Amino acid sequence: MSASVAVYRSIFTEDRFKQAYGSEEDKTSARVRLWAKLAASCRCSRRACLQLLRHRVPIFNWLPRYRFKKCFFGDTIAGLTVGVLHIPQGMAFALLTSVAPIFGLYTSFFPVVLYMIFGTGRHVSTGTFAVVSLMTGSVVEQLVPTPPELNSSSPEGADFELQRISVASAVALLSGIIMLCMFGLQLGFLSTYLSEPIVKAFTSAAAFHVTSSQLQSMLGLRLTRHTGIFSLFKTLASVMENLPQTNIAELLISLVCLAVLVPVKEINTRYRQRLRTPIPVEILTVIIATGVAYAFSLNSIYDIEIVGHIPAGFPRPQLPALHTFPDIAGDTVAITFVGYAVSVSLAMIYADKHGYSIHPNQELLAHGISNTVSSFFTCFPSSATLATTNILESAGGYTQLSGLFTSLVVLIVLLLIGPLFHFLPKAVLACINVTSLRQMFLQFQDLPELWRISKIDFMVWVVTWLSVVVLNVDLGLAFGVVFSMMTVICRTQRAGCSVLGRASDTEIYRPLENHSKCYEVPGMKILTYNGPIYYGNRSFFREEMGRLLGLTPEKIRSREKARKALEKRERETNVNTVERGIANASFSSENEFFKPEPSEHEVQAVLIDCSRVIFVDVAGARLFTQMCIECQKVGVHVFLSSCNESVLRILTSSGLMNYMNPQHIFVTVHDAVMYIQEQKEKHPENTTTVWV
């Protein structure tokens, strides 16, 4: 047997409900509370300083509570595993950035240490990221293009590399400054404009750009890097045109590396739960390839391109190329948003999985400091990385302390082992770049499910992917964001307007087109609009309301004439009856809402349910006033229900109450219906019981 609900109460208008249940505080007390809150936030004390320090430097919050027995072993293993992976990937992604491999190692060290101190993501691994490196490399290639017949071992080659890393460091510095400014303005929410379909489509399409840019290194071709619109097709055309010049030795090295990397990485993925740590196939490949190239002098005999000199030790602090800021500003904004969106998305995914929270604004501070400080040590822009974050979590990492062991591995390479990679073929690094994109390519598998869930999000994914592939990485991302925002605007512009019907013997009202057993309350139209009412959709809202009410300009004029004629006849009748001394109760002003004996299908009241109207602007408020006036012209009274505070405040401030009785605004639809029916039935009581 189903349970039943019976509620007995008085009808509530908005004014009556506020009198009974509203807050007694006025604007003055609210202003006093605001000043008290500001004064408390500005008050300086030892406790407040310590709390601020723990909040802004999270390591002082989690390190004293670190559970050594539970977390230390997992953090150590995960950190060492990721550190081993950072070495080949750092050098490989440096090629994407168009700088020397040593700078990739620097970028794999400094940001990791800084994020460990300031970051809130326990399972986030920062460092070099393929997409960010590719976008930075495009900026470097535009400002410092590769000159023909450059000898990398000559003084000119060293100066050329210095110019390039100065530009890349300038991008990192400006990106860090932008993030710090966003943190100061508390703009962490801006990352939400890069929705999940946009991020996934963008990274998947960018993987094709990364792959195409590495083809020349894998084939041993010495080609200039193409940037700008249609760069992917220009690169592929250039590679196809120069295929006869392929270096067979480098092609064989690439094929062997791919034959090793692809199966082993597949094993790491499939047996991730069984393997305590993934097989470090990248670093093993680098070590073996370096040894083979050195033993057989491949660079001198077969003219293969090698990494070259890698200095040992820390880099000297130096100022980035500040004069390039005007030229790199536009591209840096795109790089900043991509890096931050990917970082926050990854942090939130693993935070939800492991049951802790991420603070987007603190992440802005962490990545802003990481990029700003690292830029003075010849680092290019960094962010969280997909592959190493996934490995860090699967290897058993618990906290940010794993970053300490990651940085120790990179530090050992920088101080001691780095020069040993002098003979490492660049083709090996190119193969590592391509095979690291596996997760990005596999994002195509999400498309069938995305189509099933939301056709609009599917279109956003496809449009973003095509625009990134066809146009360019930064232009394609901008096009995808604009298209995504246009879909939101179009959905608010064409939000549905419905007629509500009542379910028998309940207070429940639902759209009639989806609930055929609900009935329309006689004598009134109950309308609901499923979106905001603003300048962009006011015309559509007006058309829909006019269509559902059957109000056209011609009908309004004809009914207004008929109403005026009826009022004139009523006045003449009243005069005649008064002169004869007869009181006619039919025309008493006691009940002004409904005339006697109305037509069964005639609409005498319109009730607008505003429960789904999240906001109204000035244009929308004026439209309400205009509709109220038009309805009054044809003798139809307008009622509102379920308005939120902001909507009601704007409607009141716009002057709607000059054309509408404030007592015609109700808390719920059912309150309004009961009130209208009471007036229609001419109940004399002032207070009516609402029953369900």
Side-chain angles (χ1 to χ4, degrees):
M1 181 178 179
S2 61
S4 60
V5 177
V7 179
Y8 299 92
R9 61 172 175 80
S10 299
I11 292 175
F12 279 120
T13 64
E14 282 288 348
D15 288 343
R16 186 175 179 184
F17 188 82
K18 285 181 179 178
Q19 291 173 5
Y21 299 101
S23 174
E24 296 180 358
E25 296 181 353
D26 56 9
K27 293 183 179 180
T28 304
S29 60
R31 194 178 298 112
V32 170
R33 285 191 292 107
L34 177 61
W35 279 110
K37 187 176 180 181
L38 290 174
S41 63
C42 296
R43 190 177 298 120
C44 184
S45 65
R46 184 173 181 273
R47 182 181 178 184
C49 290
L50 289 175
Q51 192 172 12
L52 179 64
L53 182 66
R54 292 192 190 101
H55 189 57
R56 293 305 176 205
V57 189
I59 192 172
F60 292 116
N61 187 30
W62 59 263
L63 189 58
R65 298 182 295 175
Y66 185 78
R67 292 180 290 180
F68 188 87
K69 290 184 177 180
K70 178 182 178 181
C71 304
F72 185 76
F73 181 75
D75 285 339
T76 303
I77 296 298
L80 294 176
T81 303
V82 172
V84 170
L85 183 62
H86 264 307
I87 297 166
Q89 282 201 354
M91 292 190 292
F93 291 158
L95 296 184
L96 285 177
T97 319
S98 297
V99 296
I102 184 60
F103 301 116
L105 294 179
Y106 296 153
T107 310
S108 299
F109 175 76
F110 291 101
V112 175
V113 175
L114 291 167
Y115 185 82
M116 179 187 68
I117 298 172
F118 295 98
T120 59
R122 302 177 191 174
H123 300 85
V124 173
S125 173
T126 58
T128 56
F129 180 45
V131 177
V132 173
S133 298
L134 177 70
M135 298 175 72
T136 307
S138 298
V139 179
V140 173
E141 289 286 346
Q142 289 176 10
L143 296 183
V144 190
T146 305
E149 304 298 331
L150 175 69
N151 186 358
S152 58
S153 60
S154 64
E156 293 80 8
D159 183 63
F160 173 74
E161 290 293 342
L162 183 61
Q163 292 180 38
R164 287 199 154 188
I165 192 56
S166 296
V167 172
S169 298
V171 175
L173 176 59
L174 185 56
S175 176
I177 292 173
I178 292 173
M179 288 187 183
L180 292 177
C181 292
M182 291 172 64
F183 165 75
L185 297 173
Q186 299 291 287
L187 298 179
F189 67 91
L190 289 179
S191 64
T192 57
Y193 286 101
L194 293 179
S195 63
E196 183 179 344
I198 290 178
V199 172
K200 288 189 173 182
F202 170 74
T203 54
S204 178
F208 285 87
H209 284 273
V210 173
T211 302
S212 66
S213 68
Q214 298 305 292
L215 287 177
Q216 55 178 321
S217 296
M218 295 170 67
L219 298 174
L221 301 175
R222 311 296 186 261
L223 306 176
T224 57
R225 184 167 171 176
H226 294 280
T227 60
I229 300 177
F230 309 121
S231 59
L232 176 65
F233 303 102
K234 293 176 182 177
T235 301
L236 292 177
S238 180
V239 169
M240 294 297 294
E241 184 180 351
N242 291 274
L243 270 181
Q245 303 174 17
T246 300
N247 188 317
I248 302 301
E250 290 188 277
L251 175 60
L252 290 176
I253 291 173
S254 300
L255 292 176
V256 171
C257 288
L258 291 175
V260 173
L261 290 169
V262 172
V264 176
K265 290 175 78 71
E266 188 66 26
I267 292 172
N268 284 338
T269 302
R270 291 197 177 188
Y271 300 98
R272 181 173 53 188
Q273 303 299 329
R274 299 183 184 181
L275 295 172
R276 185 66 183 88
T277 59
I279 302 171
V281 62
E282 289 92 349
I283 191 64
L284 291 176
T285 304
V286 166
I287 294 172
I288 294 172
T290 303
V292 171
Y294 172 74
F296 294 96
S297 302
L298 298 182
N299 60 314
S300 58
I301 298 176
Y302 298 102
D303 193 29
I304 68 169
E305 195 172 7
I306 60 174
V307 168
H309 175 63
I310 297 180
F314 269 165
R316 289 183 179 179
Q318 66 178 42
L319 198 65
L322 302 181
H323 65 278
T324 61
F325 274 12
D327 299 320
I328 65 176
D331 294 297
T332 304
V333 170
I335 292 170
T336 302
F337 272 90
V338 170
Y340 175 64
V342 171
S343 300
V344 172
S345 299
L346 278 175
M348 287 185 172
I349 288 171
Y350 289 102
D352 293 340
K353 183 177 179 180
H354 293 275
Y356 61 91
S357 60
I358 289 296
H359 305 288
N361 285 309
Q362 181 62 28
E363 290 295 293
L364 272 175
L365 177 64
H367 290 287
I369 292 176
S370 296
N371 281 291
T372 302
V373 176
S374 300
S375 66
F376 294 100
F377 294 92
T378 60
C379 295
F380 50 85
S382 62
S383 71
T385 63
L386 296 174
T388 55
T389 298
N390 186 28
I391 290 174
L392 179 68
E393 191 265 345
S394 61
Y398 287 99
T399 68
Q400 296 95 315
L401 190 65
S402 58
L404 175 64
F405 301 101
T406 299
S407 58
L408 285 177
V409 174
V410 181
L411 179 62
I412 292 171
V413 174
L414 285 174
L415 296 179
L416 303 174
I417 306 176
L420 299 179
F421 295 118
H422 177 92
F423 291 95
L424 174 62
K426 287 188 176 181
V428 176
L429 297 180
C431 292
I432 292 174
N433 272 334
V434 172
T435 55
S436 68
L437 304 173
R438 176 182 180 276
Q439 285 180 291
M440 299 184 192
F441 285 122
L442 291 181
Q443 289 179 131
F444 279 101
Q445 296 176 350
D446 298 336
L447 284 178
E449 183 180 7
L450 198 61
W451 172 264
R452 180 176 58 83
I453 296 173
S454 173
K455 306 295 189 297
I456 294 178
D457 285 339
F458 177 87
M459 288 300 300
V460 170
W461 199 103
V462 173
V463 169
T464 303
W465 188 89
L466 287 175
S467 59
V468 172
V469 168
V470 174
L471 298 177
N472 197 7
V473 176
D474 47 0
L475 287 178
L477 175 63
F479 191 87
V481 171
V482 171
F483 181 79
S484 177
M485 296 180 70
M486 288 299 298
T487 61
V488 175
I489 294 173
C490 290
R491 276 183 277 186
T492 60
Q493 280 188 318
R494 295 291 173 177
C497 189
S498 307
V499 178
L500 299 183
R502 181 182 178 185
S504 300
D505 300 326
T506 71
E507 87 294 357
I508 299 172
Y509 296 81
R510 290 291 183 268
L512 290 173
E513 62 264 25
N514 300 325
H515 303 81
S516 58
K517 294 184 180 179
C518 293
Y519 68 91
E520 194 169 356
V521 180
M524 70 179 76
K525 283 279 187 184
I526 307 174
L527 306 178
T528 185
Y529 191 71
N530 302 319
I533 302 172
Y534 65 108
Y535 70 93
N537 66 354
R538 64 188 300 272
S539 299
F540 176 77
F541 175 72
R542 179 185 175 87
E543 291 173 5
E544 284 294 291
M545 287 294 182
R547 179 182 63 83
L548 294 175
L549 295 174
L551 292 179
T552 61
E554 296 78 10
K555 192 171 184 179
I556 292 174
R557 285 194 295 269
S558 63
R559 292 190 63 176
E560 185 181 11
K561 290 180 181 179
R563 186 176 63 84
K564 289 181 178 179
L566 178 62
E567 290 175 352
K568 183 178 180 181
R569 288 197 300 270
E570 289 174 354
R571 286 195 298 269
E572 292 174 354
T573 305
N574 284 333
V575 170
N576 292 334
T577 54
V578 169
E579 289 176 354
R580 297 173 185 174
I582 302 174
N584 192 340
S586 300
F587 299 97
S588 172
S589 61
E590 182 185 36
N591 188 349
E592 63 175 357
F593 294 101
F594 300 94
K595 297 296 183 281
E597 297 182 1
S599 172
E600 182 179 356
H601 301 289
E602 184 179 354
V603 176
Q604 294 142 343
V606 174
L607 171 58
I608 302 177
D609 174 22
C610 299
S611 59
R612 300 178 184 179
V613 179
I614 56 176
F615 72 87
V616 174
D617 69 352
V618 175
R622 288 175 180 170
L623 179 61
F624 266 97
T625 303
Q626 187 177 356
M627 289 178 56
C628 187
I629 295 173
E630 291 179 353
C631 287
Q632 288 176 355
K633 287 181 180 180
V634 298
V636 176
H637 295 273
V638 178
F639 300 81
L640 302 179
S641 71
S642 307
C643 297
N644 65 49
E645 291 293 331
S646 63
V647 169
L648 191 58
R649 183 175 64 255
I650 292 175
L651 292 179
T652 303
S653 302
S654 67
L656 179 63
M657 297 306 111
N658 296 331
Y659 304 92
M660 180 179 178
N661 191 338
Q663 299 304 314
H664 289 184
I665 303 176
F666 295 87
V667 174
T668 68
V669 172
H670 197 57
D671 284 280
V673 171
M674 290 293 100
Y675 177 80
I676 296 170
Q677 288 183 336
E678 173 209 294
Q679 296 299 321
K680 184 178 180 182
E681 295 168 3
K682 301 180 182 179
H683 285 177
E685 295 84 355
N686 292 328
T687 302
T688 303
T689 298
V690 178
W691 58 274
V692 178

